[in-house]
Amino acid sequence: MFTREKIVLKLLNQLQQPVSKTVFVKLVFLLRHETSLRNMSSFYDFVPYKYGPFSFTLYRELERLKSNGYVREVEGKLEPLPLVASAGQLAPLGKAAVCHVVGNYGNTSGEAILEDVYRRYPWFALNSELPQRNFASVEPPLKAPPAVYTSGYEGMSVEAFFNRLLKQGIRLLIDVRANPVSRKYGFAGSRLRQFCERLGLSYWHEPSVGVPRGARSELNDLASYRRLFRHYEESILSSQSKKIVELGRIMTVNPSVLVCFEKDVERCHRGCLAPYIARESGLKVIHL
């Protein structure tokens, strides 16, 4: 069991009463933003969604906790089951964070918690369909100016990754992996497309400008990456001129980002692809 799941169970147990999923997500959000858990990189991140701050990862893990007998949901409300006591010890950091949130919000109505979160964290109320949205005063981000944007998701949660793109005003995610598979939750192509749709973005997979999986073997230093990218330019990019022109046209009219795995653009083929598109389109390259 992840430490963050133990913290969620501790919070649910300390509340001592059933709580709606919508309100519970807001309490976990407050754990993230108002306690020392803000420095815990593996804790839940959030995106602005139809009910305010939301975590796809948290919802997924709540379902797992329900399946494993730690939590039950009755009429839309969550409550812990006796098995919670055997969930394992929680470090002092997690205990202190839970005590802080329960002490500050444990006796506050769900309605008041929603209004408070919306008022103080208006970015996360941006896409909300709840009436508390009226308490938030935030303008949608402007569309990003035309450029060849690129981004890698290595080391990021899917929520943190999308939050960055949304704040930049990106509207289209162009997945340039040859095979859009990932062991990291949320980044497989089908799931990425689903999350894009939920967050008002478009998704397009363009495998023709990806690096075949077999070509990525034995990459252990910068020199080996450079050899790979020379081969990539000579064997793939040189034969994809029409596709490169098409990508340039799209990125000129619709704020788009080339997405792959690697955080370091020097170790990712998007670092080769982006200049090709820039030369054809006249746009500048911006690595997010």
Side-chain angles (χ1 to χ4, degrees), residues 7 21 25 35 48 55 59 65-66 69 72 99 106 109 122 141 166 173 178 187 191 195 256 276:
I7 293 171
K21 291 174 76 172
V25 170
T35 75
S55 171
Y59 247 52
L65 291 171
K66 284 163 56 179
R72 68 181 173 191
C99 286
S109 71
L166 290 168
L173 189 155
F187 291 104
R191 185 71 73 176
F195 289 166
S256 311
Y276 271 69

Side-chain angles (χ1 to χ4, degrees), residues 11-28:
L11 174 62
L12 194 56
N13 193 52
Q14 289 295 305
L15 290 172
Q16 298 183 339
Q17 59 183 345
V19 60
S20 75
K21 291 174 76 172
T22 299
V23 172
F24 187 69
V25 170
K26 306 307 173 283
L27 291 173
V28 179

Side-chain angles (χ1 to χ4, degrees), residues 75-88:
E75 296 182 350
K77 292 192 173 184
L78 300 171
E79 57 184 71
L81 291 170
L83 193 56
V84 166
S86 64

Side-chain angles (χ1 to χ4, degrees), residues 4 85 119 151 177 185 189 200-201 269 281:
R4 64 186 182 224
R119 183 176 61 253
S151 185
R177 295 173 293 177
Y185 174 68
L201 304 178
H269 74 288
S281 62

Side-chain angles (χ1 to χ4, degrees), residues 27 30 34-35 98-108 113 116:
L27 291 173
L30 292 168
E34 298 189 355
T35 75
V98 169
C99 286
H100 176 83
V101 167
V102 172
N104 285 351
Y105 302 99
N107 295 319
T108 306
I113 290 172
D116 182 57

Side-chain angles (χ1 to χ4, degrees), residues 209-212 215 225-241 244 268-277 279:
V209 293
V211 176
Y225 277 92
R226 286 172 178 166
R227 288 193 296 272
L228 167 64
F229 297 145
R230 281 197 299 270
H231 174 73
Y232 169 68
E233 291 190 52
E234 294 168 0
S235 64
I236 295 178
L237 290 186
S238 62
S239 64
Q240 293 295 334
S241 58
I244 289 168
C268 180
H269 74 288
R270 72 183 190 276
C272 299
L273 174 61
Y276 271 69
I277 298 173
R279 283 194 294 271

